[in-house]
Amino acid sequence: MTGFFHETAFYGSDDDFLALVVPFLEDGLRAGEAVVAACAERNTGLLRGALGRDITYLPGADQYSRPSESIATYRALFAEGTEGGARGMRVVGDVPHPGMGASWDWWARYEAAVNRAYAEFPVWGLCPYDTRTTPAEVLDDVVRTHPNIAAAPGRHEANPGFREGPARARQVADPLEQGPPLVDLVDVTARAARDAVSAAVAGTALSEDGVLDVVYAASEMVSNGLTHGVAPVRFRVWADSSRVVVAVTDQGPGPADPVVGLMPTTDTRTAGLGLWILHRTCDYVSMGRDADGFTVRASVAGQT
């Protein structure tokens, strides 16, 4: 195997899940490949009951805590496996989505980004989606972001619905945004943004690290908007006792590269490094364009 083979599959019952996934993993074992499952608790239980051989199980909730963390962890795992002499690797994973209680925007970007993020590794990655719980708009994005599809057990085909570039996931405003913002400024400096968000979070339950994270997020998002976006750049902050949301909107198109923010970069011509730090420190980061412009949102939760 050479390069990353990114495949999806759809199932509507536990039996369908096993019929798709078990042969996929068993074929990898027979071929002498390293085999990994990073599934939700229920699917992990199904696999443990069906597979007679030992494979590596990663807790799905840990492996898929944040897209940037998933990419970093998988890249380290793939590098270790291939450097250790594995002929190839097979991975099955349950990518989070709203049917599993997770926001989809950044996971849709993850599914598009990994086509490049894992391209150097001899890995076959299978991302099965349960049609009983996965929303239709998520399934549309899944089709767009996977070059290959398991149309039936044992049938692996090129996916005619695959499209290069970012997914089309709709950005969803945070519930806190239903109320008026505590801060609403236009074309502020990064320093003014830091000062404004510091004052806005006073009295919240954010830890010292949480305050640092949201202050950094505000500064970096404003700097990116002023440097890479199109004026005017609007900066807003919402907060309640336990959570802070920062949104920065400009009139530019936003980055076309799905990897931006999900992997580090030293390219000073892009906003990639700062956005990557946001994705590693904030509880949620969304990016998207609507009628108001291109918006980056970041939220940080405090202690309850």
Side-chain angles (χ1 to χ4, degrees):
M1 182 185 297
T2 59
F4 180 53
F5 190 88
H6 191 202
E7 183 177 51
T8 190
F10 305 109
Y11 65 94
S13 70
D14 293 351
D15 288 342
D16 288 345
F17 171 79
L18 292 173
L20 285 164
V21 175
V22 170
F24 167 75
L25 299 179
E26 288 184 332
D27 286 348
L29 291 171
R30 282 191 290 269
E33 299 173 348
V35 176
V36 176
C39 296
E41 185 175 356
R42 177 178 178 80
N43 284 344
T44 296
L46 292 172
L47 291 176
R48 286 187 184 275
L51 286 168
R53 304 193 214 179
D54 190 26
I55 67 173
T56 299
Y57 291 96
L58 301 177
D62 294 340
Q63 181 59 33
Y64 295 104
S65 59
R66 290 182 174 95
S68 57
E69 296 283 352
S70 292
I71 289 175
T73 302
Y74 271 137
R75 281 182 57 83
L77 179 69
F78 298 158
E80 179 182 6
T82 54
E83 290 169 5
R87 299 176 59 182
M89 299 186 71
R90 295 200 185 201
V91 178
V92 58
D94 287 332
V95 177
H97 57 76
M100 299 167 64
S103 298
W104 174 239
D105 168 74
W106 64 354
W107 289 111
R109 288 188 282 123
Y110 168 88
E111 287 283 44
V114 297
N115 291 308
R116 207 173 85 207
Y118 304 153
E120 68 197 85
F121 300 108
V123 173
W124 188 340
L126 174 62
C127 306
Y129 282 84
D130 188 343
T131 58
R132 296 170 295 183
T133 59
T134 310
E137 61 270 20
V138 171
L139 295 176
D140 289 343
D141 277 331
V142 171
V143 170
R144 289 181 61 87
T145 53
H146 289 74
N148 305 286
I149 186 168
R155 283 179 52 196
H156 307 284
E157 303 174 355
N159 175 16
F162 171 67
R163 299 291 181 270
E164 294 279 0
R168 298 189 302 183
R170 182 174 61 91
Q171 192 182 38
V172 178
D174 190 279
L176 282 181
E177 295 179 53
Q178 295 178 5
L182 300 176
V183 177
D184 192 346
L185 302 171
V186 176
D187 288 339
V188 297
T189 64
R191 179 168 184 172
R194 291 194 297 270
D195 291 342
V197 78
S198 295
V201 302
T204 67
L206 264 65
S207 65
E208 182 177 350
D209 286 345
V211 171
L212 292 175
D213 289 342
V214 76
V215 169
Y216 174 84
S219 179
E220 188 62 35
M221 290 160 65
V222 167
S223 293
N224 284 340
L226 294 173
T227 303
H228 304 287
V230 176
V233 177
R234 186 181 183 189
F235 170 67
R236 289 168 290 169
V237 180
W238 294 262
D240 60 16
S241 60
S242 62
R243 199 158 56 87
V244 179
V245 174
V246 177
V248 174
T249 302
D250 70 77
Q251 301 310 303
D257 186 350
V259 174
V260 168
L262 299 182
M263 290 181 66
T265 178
T266 57
D267 186 350
T268 57
R269 296 170 300 173
T270 73
L273 184 59
L275 287 174
W276 177 71
I277 295 174
L278 298 188
H279 281 75
R280 297 298 293 269
T281 58
C282 294
D283 295 309
Y284 182 65
V285 180
S286 67
M287 300 163 51
R289 182 167 178 83
D290 57 22
D292 294 329
F294 175 75
T295 299
V296 180
R297 289 179 171 87
S299 63
V300 176
Q303 300 170 351
T304 57

